[in-house]
Amino acid sequence: MSVKIHNLFNYFSKIGSEGHKAFYESWKHTADVVVKSPHFIRTQLHRNVVDTETYKYYNFAQFDTDQMPMFRPELRTPEWAAEMSKYRQSGMMGQPGGFLEIATYDGKPMSPALPQTESSVFLTSGYTLAEGVNTDELEATWKEWSGADIMNSTPSVGFHNAGLYKQFTEGRTNAFTYVVRAELTKPGEDLKDAVQVLEKVRGIKLRDGITVDSSLFRVLPEGVFDKN
């Protein structure tokens, strides 16, 4: 029987005043706690490679259940609260949320796969929806409005696959209703080809009531942890 994977997207807009090294050490300290869970599968820390004014990092982690404290507030123990307090005191500001992979471009699961190549980048877009937006219609046409069709029709960037993720977390701890994460295996010298595609995706006109934040991210090798 296949395992239903529950994904964590945790976006970081602030990493503290001491920069990447201190951020990574704080993030790793928390990751060392999370990986001990019997329900943990994998985590991958992504770093923004083109923008500094938006989200600088996001963490993409998988679990085999939604019964985890980052998904369910009622499961947060005093020990978990103490750990999160240390996390906030370091100056990190995250937006965690639980997401289900509800579709992929080629129909094959993306989560929790590792990048296809060392040079791969992930064009990742987070979508915030206002009240009243028809989500059924959106989900039926996601390949168009997310730019996945544009990426697939641009052979030079080595489009591998794209996944559509929908938040299931109650209380919306993450601002995004949907996240689209697409892997480009040939971003080009100095990311030139990938940036050109990113600009096309950013230029897509969305319907009223939808806002988006799109950028390019790369998985940090030292930020990949698997189940022991």
Side-chain angles (χ1 to χ4, degrees):
M1 184 175 65
S2 61
V3 173
K4 185 176 183 179
I5 295 177
H6 297 78
N7 302 278
L8 171 74
F9 276 100
N10 192 5
Y11 277 82
F12 296 93
S13 57
K14 293 184 180 179
I15 64 170
S17 60
E18 298 182 23
H20 168 74
K21 184 176 180 181
F23 164 78
Y24 174 75
E25 291 301 323
S26 295
W27 175 84
K28 184 178 181 300
H29 179 78
T30 303
D32 287 339
V33 174
V34 174
V35 299
K36 294 176 183 177
S37 168
H39 301 293
F40 172 77
I41 299 173
R42 171 174 288 156
T43 192
Q44 301 177 65
L45 182 63
H46 296 58
R47 187 175 190 176
N48 196 317
V49 293
V50 294
D51 293 325
T52 57
E53 72 276 8
T54 56
Y55 295 101
K56 296 171 175 60
Y57 298 84
Y58 74 79
N59 186 40
F60 184 51
Q62 288 76 42
F63 303 85
D64 64 11
T65 180
D66 67 347
Q67 299 301 300
M68 299 295 296
M70 65 282 292
F71 300 145
R72 302 296 181 194
E74 68 273 16
L75 299 177
R76 294 171 188 170
T77 63
E79 291 77 16
W80 177 264
E83 189 62 39
M84 293 301 101
S85 177
K86 294 177 186 177
Y87 170 91
R88 289 189 293 271
Q89 289 171 11
S90 70
M92 296 163 61
M93 182 177 290
Q95 293 184 5
F99 290 76
L100 296 176
E101 185 177 272
I102 62 172
T104 64
Y105 199 88
D106 66 4
K108 299 176 182 178
M110 277 191 75
S111 173
L114 293 169
Q116 295 293 300
T117 70
E118 292 182 0
S119 62
S120 287
V121 296
F122 290 86
L123 201 166
T124 309
S125 302
Y127 297 86
T128 303
L129 273 60
E131 293 283 343
V133 175
N134 187 324
T135 56
D136 290 339
E137 184 179 346
L138 275 182
E139 291 170 16
T141 59
W142 74 274
K143 294 179 182 180
E144 179 181 349
W145 54 258
S146 70
D149 281 339
I150 291 175
M151 292 179 252
N152 185 53
S153 63
T154 311
S156 61
V157 296
F159 174 72
H160 170 64
N161 201 359
L164 173 65
Y165 301 85
K166 185 176 185 178
Q167 184 170 180
F168 66 81
T169 315
E170 295 180 6
R172 290 289 169 87
T173 55
N174 185 295
F176 302 132
T177 304
Y178 295 100
V179 172
V180 175
R181 178 175 176 268
E183 182 173 3
L184 309 179
T185 63
K186 299 176 182 178
E189 186 176 355
D190 297 326
L191 304 177
K192 180 179 179 181
D193 294 340
V195 168
Q196 288 178 347
V197 169
L198 173 64
E199 292 306 315
K200 290 180 181 179
V201 170
R202 286 176 168 174
I204 294 173
K205 182 174 175 54
L206 299 171
R207 66 187 63 188
D208 292 343
I210 303 175
T211 58
V212 60
D213 189 291
S214 300
S215 198
L216 296 173
F217 296 81
R218 180 168 278 152
V219 174
L220 295 175
E222 66 271 25
V224 177
F225 294 90
D226 287 320
K227 185 173 185 177
N228 294 329

